[in-house]
Amino acid sequence: MNEFPSWGLYPKAQEQVFKNISSRFSKLPTSGLACLPRGLGRSYGDSCLNDHGLLIGTSYLNHFIDFDQNTGKIICESGVSFDEILKVVLPTGWFLPVTPGTKYVTVGGAIANDVHGKNHHRAGNFGHHVLKFELLKSSGERLICSRESNSDLFFATIGGLGLTGFITWAEFKLTKIQSSWIHQQQIQFNSLADFFSLSQESERDFEFTVSWVDCVNSKDIRGIFIRGNFGEIEKDRYRLHKEPGMKRVPFFLPKITLNSLSVRAFNELYYRKNLSSNKKNSIHYDPFFYPLDSIHHWNKIYGRRGFLQYQFVIPYKDDQGAALYEIFDILKKSQMGSFLAVLKTFGSIPSEGMLSFPKEGVTLALDFPNHGEKLLKVLSKCDEIVKSVQGAVYPAKDARMSKESFAAFYPRLSEFEKHIDPKFSSSFWRRVR
Amino acid sequence: MKKILIIGATSAIAQEVAKIYAQKKHELILWGRNAEMLNIISQDLKVRGSSALTIINHDLNDLTAHASKVDEIWSTHSKIDIVLLAHGVLGDPRKAEVNQQEMLHLLNSNFISHASLLTFISQKMVKQGYGTIAVISSVAGDRGKQSNYVYGSAKAGMTTFTDGLRNRLFSTGVHVVNLKLGPVDTPMTKDHKKTPLFGKAPSVGRGIVNAIEARKNTVYLPFFWRFIMMIIKSIPESIFKRLRL
Ligand SMILES: Cc1cc2nc3c(=O)[nH]c(=O)nc-3n(C[C@H](O)[C@H](O)[C@H](O)COP(=O)(O)OP(=O)(O)OC[C@H]3O[C@@H](n4cnc5c(N)ncnc54)[C@H](O)[C@@H]3O)c2cc1C
């Protein structure tokens, strides 16, 4: 039994040693093995795994250091989760500048993957809001990194997949909000062209945009476009999210529950349920940003064999989405099915990290039950298309891309490599290098 | 706004309790012996909302200092609403079976120092005429077993002492809570194999705050230990002594 799996439960890690660092002033634990920092393990594939290596846990680095309620600048240890940050800052009218689709990620993990959210077109990545952090090297050296000092290391560490050293604490800027509530609109669309024009129109007036798409059933791409802004609502103005209740997936569900027929039925159902073409309402930030957090360990619904995510970004302005159509086509023909297909456009704010994933274009994220070899083949085909249009696949969600693809997706690779800590490595890294 | 004294403030469970009180803007007095950790924790609690923080950095096993330290606290703060005794060590149970030093260290750190502190604290509380004293004990004190009877007997002493103190202070308006904890996933138990029975520090912390608020006498945390210990206590000794627990 592996106690420190990745979120997708695939691949399974071999013989990982785990040690917590006891405080931000401590030395890194040693064992002679290659080490890798570990947050909350919300990365899907093997970038948070370290076969035959040492994982350095950050769960005792859960302290705040400073928070200025006037400027929204906050300093905290790297193991503090977004969940905890919200509990502390929300009652004072502040929110995370960028957040992924779960609040159970750590600050260290958010920096190492330079995570993005529904506001990429406005706010860029999480890294854009980071002002500085301390990096502890395996040599024992401690470096304060920012855009001004040790800036190369700063930009290597943002999106650096935990390979440049250990982040002990970080300082970043929060965003002011008027309330906990988001005015949301849901709009149905029936073609990719509609999606692109909705995106373009919405990015002007809306902080948050995202779409749920059905890529199994329909001829063209259909889906629900969701956009929203934090509103000014007086009642329950700064209401916090609740502690997760007892809802959890207690055991692995048997294989049969997720065959392609049930996926098809689910997509159809979801689509029809949300069909009413123009819905407006106010929604609390918790279900808006973190719809899956209310079900603990939902990753187990895919059974023991686990599942794979596949997220890529490709430019679309020149080809009007022709490449995206091609990928959709491959997926549809493959009958691999995907429950959750999330489509969003990234804006033009350039990523700063040498290995950051986001770039201007359209990004699609898909979940697949682990169909084994068959699925791997299909995804490699998709990789080729992504490559041909200078796109990229997201390491935080990858368990299978090839060395060649990785090098093609990340042209600043050799610049990055100079900054890797000699004692650090990961299963992902050994696979793609 | 309440004033809360936390003794053994660097323990993971004490930190969880302190976070809850900090969020409610209460004033906290943290007593422990690791200056670096006390600083880390007090910064954290300030960010979380604590209205005032005092650090007392002194080894709790230095019994000779107890009287003066307790005096000092009450003369600076005049009244304290809640005192939580949270310090303790697991030690090396195998070593404690054969080594007098280790055995005395376990008794001192898990019972003698508490009893000594409570002797002074209870006088201050009686004088102020109200307040709650909460003591972290352990399910290990409910029945002696070969795997950790030295630690367990210190906790048993703690439990009896706490119960007696509650009885004595009842008429004074001061309440005493005995918190019997099962194993919790913390740095203290980092070398132990984690079973599903291990509690999580944040929820145990919430349980402690609730027990204090509700003026409970004895609580088991997590709650199911009440039933586990009921069964363990009911096994006849003639059988129990043969078990490898
Ligand atoms: C439901 C769900 C939705 C998601 N939605 C999004 C999304 O919308 N956008 C997005 O970008 N991502 C998304 N993700 C992915 C997630 O945001 C990232 O994988 C994130 O990095 C996970 O953080 P973690 O704390 O769990 O880190 P882990 O997964 O444990 O580690 C991630 C990386 O961070 C490194 N790391 C951790 N701590 C440190 C440290 N102290 N110093 C140096 N390196 C460190 C690790 O070595 C590893 O390389 C989602 C994940 C889930 C499960």
Side-chain angles (χ1 to χ4, degrees):
Chain A
M1 178 62 198
N2 173 18
E3 288 181 83
F4 301 95
S6 65
W7 190 247
L9 305 168
Y10 173 86
K12 311 264 181 251
Q14 312 283 316
E15 292 177 42
Q16 300 184 107
V17 180
F18 180 89
K19 287 186 188 171
N20 270 306
I21 184 166
S22 49
S23 93
R24 66 174 182 265
F25 301 114
S26 309
K27 288 197 212 124
L28 287 177
T30 50
S31 67
L33 304 169
C35 45
L36 181 73
R38 168 87 175 190
L40 282 166
R42 253 52 178 197
S43 300
Y44 283 81
D46 51 0
S47 68
C48 63
L49 301 181
N50 199 5
D51 285 329
H52 310 289
L54 171 70
L55 293 173
I56 303 177
T58 51
S59 48
Y60 302 150
L61 299 195
N62 60 351
H63 301 98
F64 290 92
I65 300 170
D66 194 36
F67 171 37
D68 184 336
Q69 296 190 19
N70 298 315
T71 61
K73 275 188 202 167
I74 188 163
I75 311 177
C76 66
E77 292 177 349
S78 60
V80 175
S81 68
F82 279 19
D83 170 49
E84 279 288 296
I85 293 171
L86 288 175
K87 284 187 206 158
V88 168
V89 306
L90 191 102
T92 64
W94 293 95
F95 201 79
L96 295 157
V98 164
T99 177
T102 171
K103 57 188 176 297
Y104 302 117
V105 299
T106 62
V107 168
I111 294 174
N113 276 327
D114 198 10
V115 302
H116 59 269
K118 294 179 165 77
N119 57 351
H120 182 272
H121 57 282
R122 287 278 179 91
N125 313 335
F126 185 72
H128 285 108
H129 306 270
V130 173
L131 300 170
K132 54 163 109 82
F133 50 77
E134 182 187 68
L135 198 66
L136 173 56
K137 308 287 286 185
S138 60
S139 61
E141 199 182 358
R142 288 170 186 268
L143 298 163
I144 305 290
C145 303
S146 68
R147 287 177 184 75
E148 293 76 41
S149 69
N150 298 307
S151 60
D152 280 0
L153 202 50
F154 182 77
F155 295 124
T157 302
I158 288 181
L161 301 170
L163 299 168
T164 60
F166 186 93
I167 303 163
T168 54
W169 57 260
E171 175 175 357
F172 57 96
K173 270 167 86 173
L174 299 161
T175 312
K176 192 83 195 152
I177 53 167
Q178 298 310 313
S179 80
S180 297
W181 303 86
I182 286 165
H183 293 312
Q184 157 187 275
Q185 291 179 14
Q186 291 179 311
I187 304 159
Q188 180 202 336
F189 60 88
N190 289 307
S191 72
L192 195 55
D194 283 356
F195 166 79
F196 286 135
S197 66
L198 267 170
S199 286
Q200 210 166 13
E201 167 205 325
S202 305
E203 284 176 9
R204 232 182 13 240
D205 302 325
F206 292 88
E207 182 84 21
F208 306 107
T209 66
V210 72
S211 295
W212 179 88
V213 294
D214 173 2
C215 49
V216 183
N217 295 302
S218 67
K219 285 206 189 64
D220 202 329
I221 291 157
R222 63 176 183 175
I224 315 290
F225 194 96
I226 301 161
R227 59 192 192 187
N229 287 316
F230 272 110
E232 249 180 89
I233 290 182
E234 284 309 317
K235 190 169 168 272
D236 254 347
R237 185 158 179 203
Y238 292 124
R239 187 207 280 181
L240 214 51
H241 60 272
K242 291 199 190 73
E243 293 288 328
M246 293 311 270
K247 259 196 269 172
R248 61 163 67 226
V249 179
F251 46 77
F252 293 105
L253 293 184
K255 228 169 162 173
I256 190 77
T257 46
L258 273 170
N259 57 32
S260 69
L261 261 181
S262 59
V263 173
R264 187 171 293 229
F266 174 85
N267 279 350
E268 191 67 37
L269 210 76
Y270 187 96
Y271 186 73
R272 295 205 177 279
K273 191 172 147 240
N274 290 284
L275 203 64
S276 57
S277 67
N278 210 330
K279 223 162 70 179
K280 280 189 193 180
N281 58 337
S282 290
I283 176 172
H284 188 257
Y285 70 79
D286 200 36
F288 183 79
F289 290 115
Y290 314 118
L292 290 167
D293 280 356
S294 64
I295 309 166
H296 251 358
H297 293 292
W298 59 262
N299 54 340
K300 289 187 182 170
I301 64 171
Y302 289 94
R304 279 185 201 285
R305 66 200 161 137
F307 67 107
L308 285 82
Q309 261 236 347
Y310 184 64
Q311 182 172 4
F312 61 86
V313 58
I314 50 176
Y316 66 91
K317 290 202 167 140
D318 297 337
D319 73 351
Q320 287 307 304
L324 194 56
Y325 273 121
E326 267 184 78
I327 294 175
F328 270 110
D329 210 44
I330 294 177
L331 294 175
K332 210 178 333 178
K333 285 199 186 114
S334 75
Q335 305 217 316
M336 290 291 142
S338 176
F339 251 127
L340 286 170
V342 178
L343 190 66
K344 159 152 184 68
T345 49
F346 283 153
S348 57
I349 303 170
S351 287
E352 296 179 302
M354 295 173 193
L355 292 191
S356 294
F357 163 68
K359 59 162 92 175
E360 188 170 10
V362 58
T363 179
L364 181 69
L366 305 138
D367 271 2
F368 297 99
N370 180 7
H371 292 296
E373 215 34 60
K374 250 168 61 192
L375 175 65
L376 298 181
K377 274 207 187 111
V378 171
L379 296 181
S380 298
K381 261 200 201 159
C382 297
D383 280 356
E384 291 308 315
I385 297 170
V386 173
K387 220 183 298 182
S388 71
V389 293
Q390 274 87 52
V393 170
Y394 194 8
K397 304 198 172 172
D398 179 65
R400 28 82 24 214
M401 72 170 103
S402 69
K403 281 188 179 50
E404 296 70 31
S405 300
F406 180 68
F409 296 148
Y410 294 93
R412 293 177 73 184
L413 191 53
S414 51
E415 185 188 352
F416 169 77
E417 270 180 322
K418 293 185 207 127
H419 301 286
I420 295 181
D421 188 296
K423 299 262 170 68
F424 280 49
S425 184
S426 69
S427 298
F428 172 83
W429 197 250
R430 290 184 293 272
R431 181 165 63 75
V432 299
R433 288 311 290 158
Chain B
M1 199 202 63
K2 288 182 185 151
K3 292 184 187 182
I4 298 150
L5 167 63
I6 301 184
I7 300 176
T10 59
S11 101
I13 293 164
Q15 287 188 50
E16 292 301 329
V17 173
K19 282 182 198 173
I20 296 170
Y21 286 128
Q23 203 198 351
K24 297 181 176 173
K25 311 262 178 280
H26 295 323
E27 175 172 350
L28 294 163
I29 303 138
L30 311 176
W31 185 346
R33 67 161 174 208
N34 180 341
E36 192 174 274
M37 267 325 277
L38 286 170
N39 277 325
I40 290 176
I41 292 163
S42 71
Q43 278 175 335
D44 176 67
L45 296 171
K46 211 173 285 166
V47 171
R48 289 176 193 271
S50 174
S51 52
L53 275 155
T54 313
I55 288 177
I56 302 164
N57 180 15
H58 200 88
D59 190 342
L60 291 157
N61 280 345
D62 177 10
L63 307 183
T64 56
H66 284 180
S68 64
K69 289 284 168 201
V70 170
D71 266 347
E72 203 181 298
I73 293 168
W74 258 265
S75 64
T76 331
H77 298 274
S78 72
K79 285 186 173 165
I80 307 277
D81 298 273
I82 299 164
V83 179
L84 173 68
L85 272 78
H87 61 297
V89 298
L90 268 183
D92 179 346
R94 295 294 81 74
K95 197 169 162 196
E97 290 164 8
V98 291
N99 179 306
Q100 186 195 36
Q101 284 267 317
E102 181 70 8
M103 186 269 292
L104 290 175
H105 169 62
L106 283 192
L107 294 185
N108 279 329
S109 312
N110 293 307
F111 177 45
I112 305 291
S113 71
H114 301 65
S116 158
L117 280 165
L118 285 174
T119 303
F120 301 110
I121 288 168
S122 60
Q123 292 173 54
K124 301 287 181 192
M125 295 291 256
V126 166
K127 207 156 149 214
Q128 68 183 36
Y130 75 96
T132 301
I133 299 171
V135 180
I136 296 187
S137 188
S138 166
V139 297
D142 277 12
R143 189 160 193 179
K145 55 184 169 63
Q146 59 176 309
S147 59
N148 66 349
Y149 62 88
V150 180
Y151 174 82
S153 59
K155 291 296 193 180
M158 201 57 257
T159 292
T160 306
F161 194 99
T162 306
D163 291 347
L165 190 66
R166 175 188 312 115
N167 190 195
R168 177 168 78 84
L169 298 190
F170 177 72
S171 58
T172 70
V174 178
H175 182 64
V176 183
V177 185
N178 185 7
L179 305 153
K180 290 189 179 174
L181 269 50
V184 182
D185 187 357
T186 65
M188 185 162 155
T189 56
K190 68 178 189 305
D191 301 326
H192 292 236
K193 183 113 193 73
K194 302 292 175 299
T195 67
L197 294 181
F198 266 74
K200 297 266 175 265
S203 70
V204 169
R206 276 196 299 278
I208 290 174
V209 171
N210 291 342
I212 291 172
E213 209 127 284
R215 292 174 78 87
K216 291 273 199 281
N217 299 317
T218 297
V219 292
Y220 284 82
L221 291 169
F223 72 96
F224 50 75
W225 279 100
R226 176 179 297 277
F227 305 103
I228 296 176
M229 294 320 294
M230 231 155 68
I231 294 165
I232 291 194
K233 282 195 285 190
S234 70
I235 301 171
E237 189 60 31
S238 56
I239 296 172
F240 192 82
K241 70 180 180 192
R242 295 167 210 272
L243 301 178
R244 305 187 59 85
L245 285 171

